Amino acid sequence: MLARPLGGALSDRIGLVRVLFGSLGGIVVMALVPALRPPPEVPAGVSFVLMAFFLGLGTGGVFALVARLVEASRVGAVTGLVGAAGGLGGYFPPLVMGVVFTATGAYTVGYLLLAVTALAALTYTYQAFRTL
């Protein structure tokens, strides 16, 4: 809940691309932790909380990016679309995790897919926005 505004504030202070790099890099690392099947108590729990934090931080960075790239008269419409896409982004991963668990009996492949997706987003962000 606090990570999104913190991501926006950090974007203003240190730059939105740095916030997105940190967020996506953190997601990659935190998705790999449960893929290694640590004990479910502290290591796995901390990795999930930190992953949620990094996701929220990145959301603040994305909305800062929208504000920078989109003309002021269209920011509302674009942030609405970005928010809807984020809603879908929160809807499909649990479905994928369920399919992965049903097929393999473990969530490992799902965590690896999440890490690969975050790494692809980090690579795209670097290529597309590193000059901002």
Side-chain angles (χ1 to χ4, degrees):
M1 183 162 95
L2 298 174
R4 182 186 285 190
L6 179 61
L10 285 173
S11 294
D12 293 339
R13 195 164 273 187
I14 67 170
L16 62 96
V17 174
R18 286 183 179 166
V19 170
L20 291 173
F21 285 168
S23 171
L24 293 166
I27 294 166
V28 170
V29 172
M30 291 303 112
L32 291 175
V33 169
L36 299 173
R37 295 185 180 195
E41 295 84 20
V42 175
V46 169
S47 70
F48 290 128
V49 170
L50 286 174
M51 192 180 331
F53 173 78
F54 285 123
L55 286 163
L57 202 68
T59 301
V62 166
F63 283 108
L65 179 64
V66 168
R68 174 155 312 157
L69 295 178
V70 176
E71 63 184 72
S73 66
R74 298 190 186 269
V75 168
V78 174
T79 56
L81 289 170
V82 169
L88 289 174
Y91 177 77
F92 285 108
L95 296 176
V96 171
M97 294 299 273
V99 169
V100 165
F101 185 80
T102 300
T104 66
Y107 293 107
T108 305
V109 173
Y111 296 129
L112 293 174
L113 287 171
L114 178 59
V116 167
T117 301
L119 185 61
L122 187 131
T123 302
Y124 174 77
T125 300
Y126 177 78
Q127 292 295 324
F129 304 112
R130 69 176 173 243
T131 59
L132 289 181

